[in-house]
């Protein structure tokens, strides 16, 4: 963006010690939108004061967050909620310069490797074995405990780079690949877990109204790719002393999955220093309720 007299004047006031003045200046700068970020970055590089650099960094973050909010709102309001792009929008919260093309290319490579091993004669369980074998054995994807110590475990592009993620991020990758391959795998609402369910091929998972559990053939642990049975799910419900009501077996919408990703990611920012990030992530999650 060309630096006008007004922008130069605003930049000259960034170091004003009066918080009220700085707040007014900040609002005006943010009003310019993301196009002013390169100007701010140039100002940061030519500013010797750490305190002023901190103010500039916060301004850049506000601009990037506003851009991200717009992207998520557009995704929410679109006719089709593409889970891949929803997950990439979340990644841009921490990595605003994220390039999506390499991620899409990497997922296409994995999809193609799986597709080459599939054929119409395979049973659903055999299909799931192929997906898990390529993803977790050939591709070497590893699962980690969801401990909220490393935010990168929640970001799809970081999962692909490091071949390591938690149940949610690995599960999102699994669902994206299953969608691309027309395999009916969906995330379901099992308490305290992110579990994938393989639905019968004669069932539309998005239009199940009665007894959704009866439409599920088996389950997939997204952390490891291992498959498990209805009996094992029943044992889990007994262990946590929760009745297995039908709503727990209903597929989550793509919008709800991204919302859950944002909510869980926010738990990585519990420190006072990063509390603003937690609040922003929860604001983004709230957007998906509308």
């Amino acid at each position: 963006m060309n630096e006008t007299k007004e922008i130069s004047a605003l930049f000259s006031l960034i170091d004003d010690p009066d918080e009220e003045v700085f707040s007014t200046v900040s609002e005006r700068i943010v009003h310019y939108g993301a196009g002013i970020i390169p100007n701010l970055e140039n100002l940061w590089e030519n500013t010797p004061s750490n305190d002023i650099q901190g103010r500039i960094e916060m301004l850049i973050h506000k601009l990037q967050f506003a851009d991200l909010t717009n992207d998520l709102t557009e995704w929410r309001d679109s006719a089709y909620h593409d889970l891949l792009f929803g997950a990439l929008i979340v990644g841009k919260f921490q990595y605003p310069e994220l390039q999506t093309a390499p991620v899409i290319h990497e997922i296409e490579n994995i999809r193609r490797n799986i597709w080459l091993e599939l054929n119409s004669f395979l049973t659903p369980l055999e299909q799931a074995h192929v997906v898990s074998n390529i993803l977790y054995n050939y591709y070497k994807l590893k699962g980690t405990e969801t401990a909220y110590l490393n935010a990168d475990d929640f970001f799809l592009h970081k999962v692909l780079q490091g071949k390591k993620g938690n149940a949610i991020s690995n599960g999102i990758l699994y669902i994206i690949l299953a969608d691309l391959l027309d395999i009916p795998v969906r995330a379901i609402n099992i308490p305290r877990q992110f579990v994938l369910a393989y639905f019968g091929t004669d069932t539309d998972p998005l239009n199940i109204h009665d007894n959704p559990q009866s439409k599920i053939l088996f389950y997939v642990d997204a952390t490891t790719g291992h498959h498990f049975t209805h009996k094992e799910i029943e044992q889990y419900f007994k262990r946590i002393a929760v009745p297995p009501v039908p709503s727990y077996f209903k597929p989550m919408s793509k919008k709800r999955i991204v919302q859950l990703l944002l909510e869980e990611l926010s738990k990585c920012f519990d420190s006072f220093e990063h509390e603003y990030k937690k609040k922003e992530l929860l604001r983004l999650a709230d957007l998906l309720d509308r």
Side-chain angles (χ1 to χ4, degrees):
M1 180 179 288
N2 292 331
E3 193 154 317
T4 63
K5 288 183 179 180
E6 183 185 13
I7 292 174
S8 298
L10 290 168
F11 283 3
S12 71
L13 292 171
I14 285 178
D15 62 353
D16 196 295
D18 188 321
E19 287 296 330
E20 193 172 328
V21 172
F22 176 64
S23 177
T24 303
V25 168
S26 297
E27 288 177 13
R28 186 59 196 157
I29 290 173
V30 170
H31 180 73
Y32 274 92
I36 203 172
I37 289 177
N39 305 65
L40 285 165
E41 289 172 337
N42 182 61
L43 180 64
W44 185 94
E45 290 171 359
N46 293 285
T47 299
S49 167
N50 289 336
D51 289 341
I52 306 308
Q53 283 185 333
R55 282 186 166 187
I56 296 169
E57 288 166 7
M58 188 53 69
L59 282 168
I60 291 172
H61 178 76
K62 283 183 177 180
L63 286 157
Q64 290 168 337
F65 181 72
D67 223 27
L68 188 69
T69 301
N70 290 334
D71 287 347
L72 189 63
T73 302
E74 287 182 10
W75 182 84
R76 178 198 68 192
D77 295 339
S78 63
Y80 173 68
H81 297 129
D82 186 300
L83 185 57
L84 171 56
F85 286 99
L88 289 174
I89 289 171
V90 176
K92 287 185 177 182
F93 176 81
Q94 191 80 338
Y95 296 94
E97 303 302 322
L98 169 63
Q99 299 297 308
T100 59
V103 178
I104 296 168
H105 179 70
E106 182 72 4
I107 286 176
E108 172 56 24
N109 283 341
I110 301 171
R111 183 209 65 81
R112 189 170 188 279
N113 282 326
I114 296 171
W115 176 76
L116 288 171
E117 299 295 324
L118 293 173
N119 63 67
S120 58
F121 300 105
L122 297 180
T123 66
L125 188 59
E126 288 170 336
Q127 285 186 336
H129 274 302
V130 169
V131 176
S132 291
N133 186 52
I134 296 294
L135 194 54
Y136 296 89
N137 295 328
Y138 176 77
Y139 187 72
K140 304 295 184 186
L141 179 67
K142 303 297 180 187
T144 64
E145 182 183 354
T146 307
Y148 310 108
L149 299 175
N150 185 4
D152 281 356
D153 287 346
F154 288 89
F155 298 126
L156 183 61
H157 72 289
K158 284 294 183 180
V159 171
L160 290 167
Q161 287 174 10
K163 298 185 179 180
K164 176 176 69 73
N166 55 38
I168 297 173
S169 54
N170 283 2
I172 286 172
L173 177 57
Y174 199 111
I175 294 167
I176 289 167
L177 290 166
D179 275 352
L180 292 170
L181 294 159
D182 293 323
I183 295 174
V185 172
R186 298 288 184 271
I188 54 176
N189 293 287
I190 302 296
R192 308 172 205 168
Q193 301 289 333
F194 191 83
V195 174
L196 307 181
Y198 194 118
F199 286 83
T201 52
D202 59 344
T203 301
D204 180 358
L206 300 180
N207 288 298
I208 301 175
H209 303 292
D210 299 316
N211 194 15
Q213 188 177 9
S214 67
K215 309 297 183 182
I216 296 172
L217 303 181
F218 54 87
Y219 306 88
V220 180
D221 179 351
T223 308
T224 62
H226 294 157
H227 313 115
F228 53 98
T229 64
H230 284 287
K231 185 175 181 180
E232 289 169 292
I233 281 285
E234 289 165 9
Q235 290 170 343
Y236 171 74
F237 276 103
K238 287 178 182 177
R239 192 162 66 250
I240 65 173
V242 172
V245 297
S247 61
Y248 292 145
F249 299 91
K250 190 174 180 180
M252 289 187 202
S253 68
K254 305 292 175 59
K255 193 166 76 166
R256 175 56 190 148
I257 292 172
V258 171
Q259 185 179 52
L260 179 64
L261 178 63
L262 288 162
E263 291 168 350
E264 293 295 295
L265 174 61
S266 75
K267 296 175 185 177
C268 296
F269 300 102
D270 275 337
S271 67
F272 177 77
E273 180 187 1
H274 294 120
E275 187 180 10
Y276 73 96
K277 288 189 175 184
K278 182 171 187 173
K279 289 179 179 177
E280 288 176 342
L281 286 163
L282 292 177
R283 279 168 56 194
L284 291 172
D286 286 345
L287 271 180
L288 298 180
D289 275 334
R290 300 173 193 172

